[in-house]
Amino acid sequence: MAELDVELVAADRRVWSGKAGMVVARTTSGDIGIMPNHQPLLGVLQTGPVTIRTTGESGEGTVVAAVHGGFLSYADGKLSVLAEIAELADEIDVERAERALEKAKADTDSHAERRAHVRLAAAARKN
């Protein structure tokens, strides 16, 4: 089975790395799915979820992260997702994200509201 080597990196740390059969991310051009043997590409990430369908030694599963800005690059079987901020679904404090959403709504801050919605959606998708 063909696999991608995936690195999900935030500005401050390596968030996740491993083998995957598919990765779905939100770019400025829309959602994109990347599978093994995809054409080389470079894309600008928007705030949104990144879903990684894992394979390899750890078995099949799904890793979901809330990603806020950055870019992705695919070439030669390697996908790099380089984010300004990235949080795995398991790391998200749902109560804190809900408070952030309420504050963003009260402040009419659409960007903060979008970030909070993405964090809550990612947390809801965790295994």
Side-chain angles (χ1 to χ4, degrees):
M1 172 189 212
E3 297 175 313
L4 302 165
D5 288 314
V6 180
E7 291 277 338
L8 172 57
V9 180
D12 60 343
R13 66 190 176 112
R14 177 192 277 170
V15 178
W16 187 88
S17 67
K19 303 279 186 186
M22 181 176 187
V23 176
V24 178
R26 179 153 300 146
T27 70
T28 55
S29 299
D31 288 355
I32 185 168
I34 300 159
M35 296 175 69
N37 302 315
H38 195 285
Q39 291 290 332
L41 83 105
L42 180 63
V44 177
L45 292 170
Q46 282 194 325
T47 294
V50 170
T51 303
I52 303 167
R53 306 266 186 239
T54 63
T55 60
E57 293 176 12
S58 60
E60 291 186 14
T62 302
V63 173
V64 179
V67 173
H68 311 285
F71 66 94
L72 59 82
S73 171
Y74 176 79
D76 301 324
K78 295 181 182 181
L79 177 66
S80 298
V81 181
L82 307 168
E84 294 173 25
I85 300 169
E87 299 172 276
L88 293 174
D90 294 337
E91 301 171 338
I92 295 170
D93 180 337
V94 174
E95 290 178 7
R96 184 171 157 236
E98 288 171 343
R99 286 192 307 270
L101 177 59
E102 292 307 314
K103 182 177 183 331
K105 285 180 179 179
D107 294 345
T108 62
D109 182 343
S110 62
H111 294 297
E113 189 173 340
R114 173 79 180 133
R115 287 190 302 271
H117 275 296
V118 167
R119 293 178 73 227
L120 289 167
R125 292 165 132 181
K126 68 182 169 187
N127 292 342

